[in-house]
PDB file of all heavy atoms in Angstrom:
ATOM      1  N   SER A  89     -10.587 -31.337   2.587  1.00 57.00           N
ATOM      2  CA  SER A  89     -10.858 -30.183   1.776  1.00 57.00           C
ATOM      3  C   SER A  89      -9.562 -29.595   1.176  1.00 57.00           C
ATOM      4  O   SER A  89      -9.474 -29.291  -0.006  1.00 57.00           O
ATOM      5  CB  SER A  89     -11.468 -29.056   2.619  1.00 57.00           C
ATOM      6  OG  SER A  89     -11.538 -27.857   1.858  1.00 57.00           O
ATOM      7  N   ALA A  90      -8.519 -29.588   1.988  1.00 60.00           N
ATOM      8  CA  ALA A  90      -7.240 -29.066   1.550  1.00 60.00           C
ATOM      9  C   ALA A  90      -6.524 -29.976   0.488  1.00 60.00           C
ATOM     10  O   ALA A  90      -5.929 -29.428  -0.400  1.00 60.00           O
ATOM     11  CB  ALA A  90      -6.266 -28.885   2.684  1.00 60.00           C
ATOM     12  N   PHE A  91      -6.698 -31.202   0.601  1.00 63.00           N
ATOM     13  CA  PHE A  91      -5.959 -32.184  -0.246  1.00 63.00           C
ATOM     14  C   PHE A  91      -6.908 -33.104  -1.094  1.00 63.00           C
ATOM     15  O   PHE A  91      -6.591 -34.146  -1.359  1.00 63.00           O
ATOM     16  CB  PHE A  91      -4.938 -33.056   0.489  1.00 63.00           C
ATOM     17  CG  PHE A  91      -3.928 -32.311   1.335  1.00 63.00           C
ATOM     18  CD1 PHE A  91      -3.999 -32.301   2.729  1.00 63.00           C
ATOM     19  CD2 PHE A  91      -3.028 -31.419   0.649  1.00 63.00           C
ATOM     20  CE1 PHE A  91      -3.041 -31.624   3.460  1.00 63.00           C
ATOM     21  CE2 PHE A  91      -2.140 -30.717   1.389  1.00 63.00           C
ATOM     22  CZ  PHE A  91      -2.129 -30.814   2.819  1.00 63.00           C
ATOM     23  N   GLY A  92      -8.052 -32.446  -1.442  1.00 55.00           N
ATOM     24  CA  GLY A  92      -9.008 -33.179  -2.142  1.00 55.00           C
ATOM     25  C   GLY A  92      -8.528 -33.715  -3.551  1.00 55.00           C
ATOM     26  O   GLY A  92      -8.961 -34.806  -4.021  1.00 55.00           O
ATOM     27  N   ASP A  93      -7.573 -32.960  -4.122  1.00 52.00           N
ATOM     28  CA  ASP A  93      -7.041 -33.351  -5.415  1.00 52.00           C
ATOM     29  C   ASP A  93      -6.347 -34.646  -5.374  1.00 52.00           C
ATOM     30  O   ASP A  93      -6.260 -35.455  -6.319  1.00 52.00           O
ATOM     31  CB  ASP A  93      -6.178 -32.273  -6.033  1.00 52.00           C
ATOM     32  CG  ASP A  93      -4.998 -31.928  -5.118  1.00 52.00           C
ATOM     33  OD1 ASP A  93      -5.165 -32.065  -3.903  1.00 52.00           O
ATOM     34  OD2 ASP A  93      -4.026 -31.528  -5.684  1.00 52.00           O
ATOM     35  N   ILE A  94      -5.663 -34.904  -4.169  1.00 56.00           N
ATOM     36  CA  ILE A  94      -4.963 -36.159  -3.966  1.00 56.00           C
ATOM     37  C   ILE A  94      -5.903 -37.263  -3.610  1.00 56.00           C
ATOM     38  O   ILE A  94      -5.817 -38.366  -4.233  1.00 56.00           O
ATOM     39  CB  ILE A  94      -3.945 -36.007  -2.809  1.00 56.00           C
ATOM     40  CG1 ILE A  94      -2.876 -34.943  -3.235  1.00 56.00           C
ATOM     41  CG2 ILE A  94      -3.261 -37.323  -2.483  1.00 56.00           C
ATOM     42  CD1 ILE A  94      -1.764 -34.763  -2.211  1.00 56.00           C
ATOM     43  N   PHE A  95      -6.848 -36.994  -2.675  1.00 55.00           N
ATOM     44  CA  PHE A  95      -7.783 -38.100  -2.305  1.00 55.00           C
ATOM     45  C   PHE A  95      -8.682 -38.538  -3.401  1.00 55.00           C
ATOM     46  O   PHE A  95      -9.097 -39.724  -3.415  1.00 55.00           O
ATOM     47  CB  PHE A  95      -8.551 -37.654  -1.084  1.00 55.00           C
ATOM     48  CG  PHE A  95      -7.677 -37.210   0.110  1.00 55.00           C
ATOM     49  CD1 PHE A  95      -7.953 -36.154   0.811  1.00 55.00           C
ATOM     50  CD2 PHE A  95      -6.596 -38.049   0.459  1.00 55.00           C
ATOM     51  CE1 PHE A  95      -7.199 -35.755   1.906  1.00 55.00           C
ATOM     52  CE2 PHE A  95      -5.873 -37.676   1.571  1.00 55.00           C
ATOM     53  CZ  PHE A  95      -6.125 -36.563   2.284  1.00 55.00           C
ATOM     54  N   GLY A  96      -9.066 -37.621  -4.242  1.00 50.00           N
ATOM     55  CA  GLY A  96      -9.969 -37.931  -5.291  1.00 50.00           C
ATOM     56  C   GLY A  96      -9.415 -38.995  -6.276  1.00 50.00           C
ATOM     57  O   GLY A  96     -10.206 -39.555  -7.059  1.00 50.00           O
ATOM     58  N   ASP A  97      -8.100 -39.179  -6.244  1.00 48.00           N
ATOM     59  CA  ASP A  97      -7.575 -40.193  -7.087  1.00 48.00           C
ATOM     60  C   ASP A  97      -7.741 -41.631  -6.711  1.00 48.00           C
ATOM     61  O   ASP A  97      -7.756 -42.507  -7.512  1.00 48.00           O
ATOM     62  CB  ASP A  97      -6.013 -39.889  -7.238  1.00 48.00           C
ATOM     63  CG  ASP A  97      -5.717 -38.611  -7.946  1.00 48.00           C
ATOM     64  OD1 ASP A  97      -6.532 -38.121  -8.678  1.00 48.00           O
ATOM     65  OD2 ASP A  97      -4.591 -38.131  -7.654  1.00 48.00           O
ATOM     66  N   PHE A  98      -7.980 -41.859  -5.340  1.00 47.00           N
ATOM     67  CA  PHE A  98      -8.102 -43.248  -4.958  1.00 47.00           C
ATOM     68  C   PHE A  98      -9.142 -43.593  -3.954  1.00 47.00           C
ATOM     69  O   PHE A  98      -9.186 -44.748  -3.512  1.00 47.00           O
ATOM     70  CB  PHE A  98      -6.696 -43.675  -4.430  1.00 47.00           C
ATOM     71  CG  PHE A  98      -6.145 -42.771  -3.294  1.00 47.00           C
ATOM     72  CD1 PHE A  98      -6.563 -42.926  -1.994  1.00 47.00           C
ATOM     73  CD2 PHE A  98      -5.193 -41.866  -3.580  1.00 47.00           C
ATOM     74  CE1 PHE A  98      -6.095 -42.210  -0.934  1.00 47.00           C
ATOM     75  CE2 PHE A  98      -4.692 -41.041  -2.557  1.00 47.00           C
ATOM     76  CZ  PHE A  98      -5.071 -41.216  -1.243  1.00 47.00           C
ATOM     77  N   PHE A  99      -9.999 -42.645  -3.550  1.00 46.00           N
ATOM     78  CA  PHE A  99     -11.053 -43.019  -2.632  1.00 46.00           C
ATOM     79  C   PHE A  99     -12.482 -42.864  -3.254  1.00 46.00           C
ATOM     80  O   PHE A  99     -12.687 -41.915  -4.014  1.00 46.00           O
ATOM     81  CB  PHE A  99     -10.977 -42.081  -1.424  1.00 46.00           C
ATOM     82  CG  PHE A  99      -9.796 -42.329  -0.483  1.00 46.00           C
ATOM     83  CD1 PHE A  99      -8.839 -41.305  -0.336  1.00 46.00           C
ATOM     84  CD2 PHE A  99      -9.495 -43.553  -0.059  1.00 46.00           C
ATOM     85  CE1 PHE A  99      -7.734 -41.522   0.466  1.00 46.00           C
ATOM     86  CE2 PHE A  99      -8.452 -43.814   0.749  1.00 46.00           C
ATOM     87  CZ  PHE A  99      -7.508 -42.742   0.987  1.00 46.00           C
ATOM     88  N   GLY A 100     -13.270 -43.808  -2.999  1.00 44.00           N
ATOM     89  CA  GLY A 100     -14.607 -43.759  -3.463  1.00 44.00           C
ATOM     90  C   GLY A 100     -15.501 -43.178  -2.494  1.00 44.00           C
ATOM     91  O   GLY A 100     -16.697 -42.834  -2.807  1.00 44.00           O
ATOM     92  N   GLY A 101     -15.110 -42.959  -1.247  1.00 43.00           N
ATOM     93  CA  GLY A 101     -15.987 -42.283  -0.264  1.00 43.00           C
ATOM     94  C   GLY A 101     -15.612 -40.861  -0.156  1.00 43.00           C
ATOM     95  O   GLY A 101     -15.584 -40.204  -1.153  1.00 43.00           O
ATOM     96  N   ARG A 102     -15.410 -40.427   1.071  1.00 44.00           N
ATOM     97  CA  ARG A 102     -15.105 -38.972   1.241  1.00 44.00           C
ATOM     98  C   ARG A 102     -13.786 -38.642   0.498  1.00 44.00           C
ATOM     99  O   ARG A 102     -12.832 -39.335   0.610  1.00 44.00           O
ATOM    100  CB  ARG A 102     -14.903 -38.624   2.714  1.00 44.00           C
ATOM    101  CG  ARG A 102     -16.165 -38.630   3.448  1.00 44.00           C
ATOM    102  CD  ARG A 102     -15.988 -38.258   4.913  1.00 44.00           C
ATOM    103  NE  ARG A 102     -15.145 -39.283   5.635  1.00 44.00           N
ATOM    104  CZ  ARG A 102     -14.633 -39.064   6.825  1.00 44.00           C
ATOM    105  NH1 ARG A 102     -14.905 -37.973   7.447  1.00 44.00           N
ATOM    106  NH2 ARG A 102     -13.875 -40.035   7.331  1.00 44.00           N
ATOM    107  N   GLY A 103     -13.761 -37.603  -0.191  1.00 45.00           N
ATOM    108  CA  GLY A 103     -12.607 -37.181  -0.944  1.00 45.00           C
ATOM    109  C   GLY A 103     -12.473 -37.853  -2.254  1.00 45.00           C
ATOM    110  O   GLY A 103     -11.523 -37.721  -2.981  1.00 45.00           O
TER     111      GLY A 103
END
Side-chain angles (χ1 to χ4, degrees):
S89 173
F91 303 116
D93 57 333
I94 295 179
F95 302 136
D97 294 337
F98 53 81
F99 292 120
R102 290 182 296 171

